[in-house]
Each structure stands twice: as C-alpha cells, then as structure tokens.
Amino acid sequence: MQDAFFVLSKLVWAVLRPNTLALILAVLGLALVWRGRRFGRWPLALGLGWYVAVFALPVAALLTLPLENRFPRPATPPAQVTGIIVLGGAVEQRLTAARGIPALNGAAERMTEGVALALRHPEARLVFTGGTAAVDQTGPTEAETARMLFTDLGLPAQRVVLENESRNTHENAVFTHRLLNPRPGETWLLVTSASHMPRSMGVFRAAGWSITAWPVNYTTGDDPALWWDNPFPTKLNHAEWALREWVGLTVYWLTGRTGAWFPGP
C-alpha cells in the first residue's frame, strides 16, 4: 500500500503540477482554436491565465505566506538539544555522484542550518533523513550526499545519524522515529523549509514525535515589497511549490498521515 501511494503520488503530480498542466491546457486550447473549435478558448484561457496571474499578481507570495508563518521559531531557543533532524530535499544526489562533490539546491539552508545548530549545540546529534524521492530507487541516496557534506564541513562521524530509506515526508517521520526511539523529556529540533513545516510537523506528531519546529529557507515575508522581487520563473516555481504543499496537506489528512488538515503550533 505504501509503495502504491508513493508511485501514484509521483505519477499524478508529474501530470497535474500547475506549471505543466497550464502549458498543456494552453497548447491544447490553441490547437483547438486553430482548428476552429470555439470551446478551445476555455483551456487556452485557463492555461494562459495561470501564467498571467503569477506574473501580474502576488500569487506565489499569497499562497506561501500562510505556510511559512504557521510555525515561527521559538522566541527563546532551547538551552539543551538532544538532536537536530534535517529533512531531505536539499541535495542533488545524482549530480553529486556525477561530479564528486556535494551538490545542493534552493533548499540548501536545511543543510547549512543543521550544521550551524550542531556547532551551537555540541551535545546534540545531527540526524539527516532522506533516501531517494525518485520512482527509480536504484540511484544514490540523499543520505550519501549528506554524509559527504557533513564530513567535508568537519563534523565528527559519531555525531551524525543517517536514515537512508525514506522517500517522502511521512516516511521521514516514521523511519526516523523507529531508528532513534525518542524518549519523553528529550528536545528534538526539526529543520526543514518554512513552507514545508506545517505538513512536516503534522506527520511527525502523528508518528509519535514531540518535536520543535525550526523553519528555514523562507521565500517571502510580510512586507509587500518582497512579494514582487523575484523574476517570473522563480515566481512560477514558488507558486507551484506552495500549491504542492496545500495539496500534500489535504492528501496526508485524508489518508490519515496527519491528524489535522493544517497543523499549527
């Protein structure tokens, strides 16, 4: 059942992701209009409308802000930390394997903040959770790239724990809990992108964790001036990512992977 859910989620999103779907609708609508089919105007308008809206309106910011503001960092950081859990999604494992050095993507703050916290809290273990999110599971895992990066940055191997089998956020939570068996009274920090934090906290709580959100990788802020700064391709990516999170929250809630549709503090 878990494998079916994973594969289905990948296949459905590959077709229905907003930027791809809008392009398909626009091309289909244009072809129908070219052939004299008047009803082709609807898919053409829907497809082009998505791109126009993201370009002309702060769509990406408005979709993202509620996600990023949901879990603020603690006003007073904990004095003692048992462990720091960094979610996968920030490394490019195939590019790392091809070039031989750790390759990071736009969510790199997950990794850099994890190391910063580990240096700030020498008593804490640094935990990275991530296998591969690809349908083809034969390639290198994210954990292998994380090991290389943490070693290059000078962290002792005995402080680092790697979970290398999870393929999505639900499995991050379940497999890491099984690996670490956290005890009452321990302080664990969860490091992931701020827009991904609501879904992450929901599934970690459902898996039995008592954990503190430590969001990073913000893409917008409450100042409206920030809503217009990014170039159009970046706005498209941010809007699509935010919609993915809203869809993910809904699917995880409907399938019982989280106890609330929009988890909060």
Side-chain angles (χ1 to χ4, degrees), residues 29-41:
L30 184 62
L32 291 171
V33 170
W34 184 265
R35 293 173 62 88
R37 307 294 176 86
R38 296 184 61 182
F39 61 83
R41 297 174 182 175

mmCIF file of all heavy atoms in Angstrom, residues 29-41:
data_model
loop_
_atom_site.group_PDB
_atom_site.id
_atom_site.type_symbol
_atom_site.label_atom_id
_atom_site.label_comp_id
_atom_site.label_asym_id
_atom_site.label_seq_id
_atom_site.Cartn_x
_atom_site.Cartn_y
_atom_site.Cartn_z
ATOM 1 N N GLY A 29 -5.663 24.174 -26.020
ATOM 2 C CA GLY A 29 -6.630 25.197 -26.397
ATOM 3 C C GLY A 29 -6.251 25.902 -27.686
ATOM 4 O O GLY A 29 -7.107 26.154 -28.551
ATOM 5 N N LEU A 30 -4.967 26.208 -27.856
ATOM 6 C CA LEU A 30 -4.508 26.869 -29.075
ATOM 7 C C LEU A 30 -4.727 25.984 -30.290
ATOM 8 O O LEU A 30 -5.170 26.463 -31.360
ATOM 9 C CB LEU A 30 -3.028 27.229 -28.934
ATOM 10 C CG LEU A 30 -2.406 28.012 -30.094
ATOM 11 C CD1 LEU A 30 -3.097 29.357 -30.261
ATOM 12 C CD2 LEU A 30 -0.905 28.209 -29.849
ATOM 13 N N ALA A 31 -4.457 24.695 -30.134
ATOM 14 C CA ALA A 31 -4.664 23.771 -31.246
ATOM 15 C C ALA A 31 -6.144 23.678 -31.618
ATOM 16 O O ALA A 31 -6.493 23.645 -32.810
ATOM 17 C CB ALA A 31 -4.122 22.387 -30.881
ATOM 18 N N LEU A 32 -7.021 23.658 -30.622
ATOM 19 C CA LEU A 32 -8.454 23.582 -30.900
ATOM 20 C C LEU A 32 -8.961 24.856 -31.571
ATOM 21 O O LEU A 32 -9.757 24.802 -32.515
ATOM 22 C CB LEU A 32 -9.217 23.315 -29.604
ATOM 23 C CG LEU A 32 -9.025 21.924 -28.988
ATOM 24 C CD1 LEU A 32 -9.664 21.863 -27.606
ATOM 25 C CD2 LEU A 32 -9.621 20.847 -29.892
ATOM 26 N N VAL A 33 -8.497 26.001 -31.088
ATOM 27 C CA VAL A 33 -8.899 27.266 -31.693
ATOM 28 C C VAL A 33 -8.403 27.344 -33.141
ATOM 29 O O VAL A 33 -9.111 27.806 -34.045
ATOM 30 C CB VAL A 33 -8.368 28.448 -30.860
ATOM 31 C CG1 VAL A 33 -8.564 29.764 -31.599
ATOM 32 C CG2 VAL A 33 -9.066 28.498 -29.502
ATOM 33 N N TRP A 34 -7.202 26.874 -33.369
ATOM 34 C CA TRP A 34 -6.633 26.874 -34.725
ATOM 35 C C TRP A 34 -7.477 26.040 -35.681
ATOM 36 O O TRP A 34 -7.575 26.367 -36.865
ATOM 37 C CB TRP A 34 -5.208 26.331 -34.657
ATOM 38 C CG TRP A 34 -4.479 26.365 -35.972
ATOM 39 C CD1 TRP A 34 -4.355 25.372 -36.877
ATOM 40 C CD2 TRP A 34 -3.763 27.474 -36.497
ATOM 41 N NE1 TRP A 34 -3.607 25.767 -37.946
ATOM 42 C CE2 TRP A 34 -3.229 27.081 -37.745
ATOM 43 C CE3 TRP A 34 -3.509 28.780 -36.032
ATOM 44 C CZ2 TRP A 34 -2.463 27.925 -38.534
ATOM 45 C CZ3 TRP A 34 -2.751 29.614 -36.821
ATOM 46 C CH2 TRP A 34 -2.244 29.187 -38.065
ATOM 47 N N ARG A 35 -8.086 24.979 -35.126
ATOM 48 C CA ARG A 35 -8.933 24.109 -35.953
ATOM 49 C C ARG A 35 -10.386 24.589 -35.998
ATOM 50 O O ARG A 35 -11.264 23.876 -36.481
ATOM 51 C CB ARG A 35 -8.878 22.676 -35.420
ATOM 52 C CG ARG A 35 -7.505 22.027 -35.577
ATOM 53 C CD ARG A 35 -7.457 20.677 -34.881
ATOM 54 N NE ARG A 35 -8.405 19.758 -35.468
ATOM 55 C CZ ARG A 35 -8.149 18.964 -36.511
ATOM 56 N NH1 ARG A 35 -6.941 19.014 -37.090
ATOM 57 N NH2 ARG A 35 -9.050 18.126 -36.977
ATOM 58 N N GLY A 36 -10.622 25.765 -35.429
ATOM 59 C CA GLY A 36 -11.959 26.334 -35.491
ATOM 60 C C GLY A 36 -12.906 25.864 -34.413
ATOM 61 O O GLY A 36 -14.118 26.096 -34.519
ATOM 62 N N ARG A 37 -12.389 25.226 -33.370
ATOM 63 C CA ARG A 37 -13.226 24.741 -32.274
ATOM 64 C C ARG A 37 -13.315 25.830 -31.211
ATOM 65 O O ARG A 37 -12.339 26.102 -30.507
ATOM 66 C CB ARG A 37 -12.660 23.458 -31.655
ATOM 67 C CG ARG A 37 -12.384 22.369 -32.688
ATOM 68 C CD ARG A 37 -13.652 21.852 -33.325
ATOM 69 N NE ARG A 37 -13.371 20.891 -34.365
ATOM 70 C CZ ARG A 37 -13.184 19.587 -34.161
ATOM 71 N NH1 ARG A 37 -13.230 19.125 -32.918
ATOM 72 N NH2 ARG A 37 -12.941 18.781 -35.163
ATOM 73 N N ARG A 38 -14.484 26.429 -31.065
ATOM 74 C CA ARG A 38 -14.626 27.571 -30.163
ATOM 75 C C ARG A 38 -14.403 27.198 -28.701
ATOM 76 O O ARG A 38 -13.931 28.026 -27.921
ATOM 77 C CB ARG A 38 -16.008 28.194 -30.341
ATOM 78 C CG ARG A 38 -16.241 28.779 -31.736
ATOM 79 C CD ARG A 38 -17.579 29.468 -31.834
ATOM 80 N NE ARG A 38 -17.689 30.579 -30.898
ATOM 81 C CZ ARG A 38 -18.787 31.326 -30.764
ATOM 82 N NH1 ARG A 38 -19.867 31.068 -31.514
ATOM 83 N NH2 ARG A 38 -18.813 32.328 -29.907
ATOM 84 N N PHE A 39 -14.757 25.948 -28.335
ATOM 85 C CA PHE A 39 -14.595 25.568 -26.923
ATOM 86 C C PHE A 39 -13.120 25.470 -26.528
ATOM 87 O O PHE A 39 -12.790 25.325 -25.354
ATOM 88 C CB PHE A 39 -15.315 24.251 -26.625
ATOM 89 C CG PHE A 39 -14.812 23.064 -27.412
ATOM 90 C CD1 PHE A 39 -13.699 22.351 -27.005
ATOM 91 C CD2 PHE A 39 -15.468 22.655 -28.561
ATOM 92 C CE1 PHE A 39 -13.247 21.257 -27.711
ATOM 93 C CE2 PHE A 39 -15.025 21.560 -29.280
ATOM 94 C CZ PHE A 39 -13.906 20.860 -28.865
ATOM 95 N N GLY A 40 -12.229 25.559 -27.536
ATOM 96 C CA GLY A 40 -10.804 25.582 -27.203
ATOM 97 C C GLY A 40 -10.386 26.836 -26.466
ATOM 98 O O GLY A 40 -9.307 26.885 -25.870
ATOM 99 N N ARG A 41 -11.246 27.871 -26.500
ATOM 100 C CA ARG A 41 -10.908 29.103 -25.786
ATOM 101 C C ARG A 41 -10.809 28.890 -24.272
ATOM 102 O O ARG A 41 -10.039 29.578 -23.596
ATOM 103 C CB ARG A 41 -11.960 30.172 -26.077
ATOM 104 C CG ARG A 41 -12.043 30.577 -27.557
ATOM 105 C CD ARG A 41 -13.197 31.522 -27.780
ATOM 106 N NE ARG A 41 -13.346 31.891 -29.186
ATOM 107 C CZ ARG A 41 -14.339 32.643 -29.654
ATOM 108 N NH1 ARG A 41 -15.264 33.104 -28.809
ATOM 109 N NH2 ARG A 41 -14.404 32.934 -30.945
#
